[in-house]
Amino acid sequence: MSPSKQNDAIPACSRRRFLATVGIGLTGSVAGCTSGDDDYPTGTLRFANNHDLPHSLSLRVTDVGARPTDMNRSVDGYASVPPSQRNITTATTLQPGDEQTYRSVFTEPAWYAIEFSLDGRVLDGSRGHLAFNPIPNEASEETRYLTASVTKAGEFSWGTPHL
């Protein structure tokens, strides 16, 4: 079958070339389109320094359990998690205005007893200890990530925003 004269005037475009061109166009149109909290997967850990001096922040998982206790500062019961989830530690030194994000640190729907340190000192009470579950209700699709930061006033704070 020979092509007609009208079709000969339009260059041939293979399916592969068409899909590649459309893919590049779509990639370019969404590149750089991020919307803050939505970019953090469940179980992400985010450190931030909003103070005008550098600070060292660290986190250590002290236990993993089935439920929170002691005013949400520790955990109780057994939770089946991989050994690597029982020994999570991380530390970073941040310059003023810097942030450090660790994606998907907490991977299991369990309660993690967490201890924070600021500039090498373990923080006491509810300032530095909490029980955190990235998926607090397995029947719900609500998920959380964990933030730890130094405020503009130089104070430590933590939070568990919802996705």
Side-chain angles (χ1 to χ4, degrees), residues 9-118:
I10 300 172
C13 180
S14 70
R15 181 174 183 262
R16 180 177 289 157
R17 182 179 296 191
F18 173 77
L19 291 174
T21 302
V22 169
I24 290 169
L26 288 174
T27 301
S29 70
V30 296
C33 293
T34 59
S35 57
D37 295 348
D38 293 339
D39 296 335
Y40 300 128
T42 300
T44 291
L45 169 63
R46 185 179 145 282
F47 289 125
N49 182 9
N50 299 308
H51 195 226
D52 58 357
L53 297 172
H55 288 282
S56 296
L57 295 163
S58 66
L59 170 143
R60 181 174 73 96
V61 169
T62 59
D63 197 6
V64 179
R67 61 193 157 276
T69 62
D70 187 28
M71 297 173 42
N72 285 338
R73 291 187 214 155
S74 61
V75 297
D76 189 29
Y78 178 77
S80 178
V81 298
S84 62
Q85 289 290 291
R86 293 185 178 279
N87 301 308
I88 297 171
T89 59
T90 187
T92 188
T93 299
L94 298 173
Q95 297 302 313
D98 282 354
E99 294 182 357
Q100 178 68 48
T101 302
Y102 302 91
R103 298 188 183 291
S104 303
V105 172
F106 306 99
T107 62
E108 303 302 315
W111 286 93
Y112 296 84
I114 294 173
E115 175 184 86
F116 287 109
S117 296
L118 175 62

